[in-house]
Amino acid sequence: MKAVIMAGGLGTRISEESGIRPKPMVEIGGKPILWHIMKIYSCHGINDFVVCCGYKGHVIKEYFANYCLNNSDVTFNMKTNSMEIHKNETEPWNVTLVNTGHNSMTGGRLKRVEKYLDNETFCMTYGDGLSDVDITKCIAAHQASGKHATLTAVQQPGRFGVFNLGEGENTVHSFQEKPDGSEMPWINGGFFILEPEVFNYIEDDNSVWEKEAMENLAKDGQLNAYKHTGFWQPMDTLRDKTYLEDLWQQGNAPWHWESLMHNIAINKIIF
């Protein structure tokens, strides 16, 4: 199965970083967040990627063009102008980088990579979100649903206190400091599993996946939800980046492949 990763947006809310590189190339622990996302999929046996490039897409292409070189022992023979790689420590990835336009919307970007997906079921997610979601279980839930699309539904704990107001009045009747995720609504966390039929819901570059496509899929009863109650964190702002970096540096990153592989092994024993 292939995984499509959206990596073409402008990332204006984290302009401190995205001014010099696309947001998916912003680093966490010395590696682009795009790399971390690919490692999540790789833990579940998905190593074939289609990356939707756009804004500063050349930065992503240069990264992968030099990836093997930068992660290997190598000898350069200046006399023969040749190179010999002695030790290759790279992942078994196949990465297709597609220019999906500078101003295309999310649906338009997805539509542009349709020809690389072989008319088969595929995964899709955003290039700025990390999670410990069990993709294997998500795929199984999608297959059991028989629907065209499955999204990962998540709940993000609130950062601010909330309060209740009586209808038609200005009196605060209750207040709660930073409610936990159990009291928050479900939201789209990405990590989709999709059938080729979803392309029938996308018209052109101006189509927004989260609007026309998903809304019409829902209207037709073709949008399934896989509920994930574990870790999920988008990197929308510099504050989010700092939070993710702190988790990584402290050794508490739930999306770290060692943690994911450990959880996968436990699930295999249980089920």
Side-chain angles (χ1 to χ4, degrees):
M1 187 176 293
K2 294 184 179 182
V4 175
I5 303 177
M6 294 288 176
L10 297 177
T12 54
R13 284 186 289 179
I14 191 169
S15 58
E16 300 92 341
E17 292 277 357
S18 62
I20 57 175
R21 52 190 163 183
K23 185 161 69 164
M25 294 304 292
V26 174
E27 294 183 352
I28 303 295
K31 296 285 189 178
I33 191 170
L34 175 61
W35 177 89
H36 289 271
I37 295 169
M38 294 168 70
K39 292 287 282 190
I40 294 171
Y41 279 104
S42 194
C43 286
H44 293 272
I46 297 174
N47 294 299
D48 201 341
F49 300 95
V50 178
V51 181
C52 300
C53 301
Y55 171 71
K56 294 187 181 296
H58 66 280
V59 177
I60 301 177
K61 291 179 179 178
E62 290 170 359
Y63 175 78
F64 284 106
N66 296 312
Y67 189 76
C68 183
L69 176 64
N70 292 333
N71 289 276
S72 305
D73 293 340
V74 60
T75 294
F76 293 99
N77 188 316
M78 303 304 174
K79 184 177 180 180
T80 61
N81 191 27
S82 62
M83 178 182 72
E84 180 182 0
I85 294 178
H86 303 287
K87 185 180 180 182
N88 187 340
E89 297 183 350
T90 58
E91 294 81 359
W93 292 343
N94 184 64
V95 187
T96 301
L97 305 171
V98 184
N99 179 12
T100 57
H102 190 82
N103 298 312
S104 299
M105 297 292 101
T106 47
R109 294 192 189 282
L110 183 58
K111 184 75 171 178
R112 286 206 186 193
V113 303
E114 179 180 4
K115 61 184 178 182
Y116 297 101
L117 299 174
D118 305 323
N119 198 38
E120 297 176 348
T121 306
F122 64 97
C123 299
M124 190 269 279
T125 195
Y126 306 108
D128 62 355
L130 296 173
S131 177
D132 61 355
V133 59
D134 191 325
I135 293 172
T136 300
K137 286 186 177 180
C138 187
I139 293 172
H142 169 75
Q143 293 172 334
S145 75
K147 300 186 185 302
H148 294 338
T150 294
L151 62 79
T152 296
V154 298
Q155 295 170 302
Q156 189 174 34
R159 290 177 174 173
F160 309 101
V162 298
F163 55 84
N164 294 320
L165 285 174
E167 185 175 353
E169 57 182 83
N170 297 323
T171 302
V172 176
H173 291 283
S174 64
F175 184 90
Q176 183 175 359
E177 179 65 15
K178 297 182 180 180
D180 61 34
S182 64
E183 300 179 37
M184 303 299 291
W186 292 98
I187 61 175
N188 169 24
F191 294 97
F192 300 90
I193 314 298
L194 305 173
E195 298 297 329
E197 285 81 0
V198 301
F199 291 109
N200 297 327
Y201 292 81
I202 303 171
E203 291 187 7
D204 52 32
D205 284 352
N206 296 317
S207 296
V208 179
W209 167 253
E210 299 77 13
K211 293 291 293 181
E212 299 93 346
M214 285 179 58
E215 289 176 0
N216 286 322
L217 281 163
K219 186 186 302 182
D220 291 346
Q222 291 295 334
L223 183 58
N224 181 51
Y226 172 76
K227 292 182 178 179
H228 173 62
T229 56
F231 177 84
W232 176 82
Q233 178 64 50
M235 189 185 66
D236 289 330
T237 66
L238 192 59
R239 174 178 176 172
D240 295 332
K241 176 189 180 302
T242 301
Y243 172 64
L244 292 170
E245 181 70 35
D246 288 345
L247 287 177
W248 185 266
Q249 296 300 336
Q250 294 165 9
N252 296 323
W255 72 90
H256 192 288
W257 58 91
E258 291 182 354
S259 297
L260 295 180
M261 294 302 292
H262 176 70
N263 293 336
I264 292 170
I266 290 177
N267 287 334
K268 286 183 178 180
I269 293 174
I270 294 176
F271 298 101

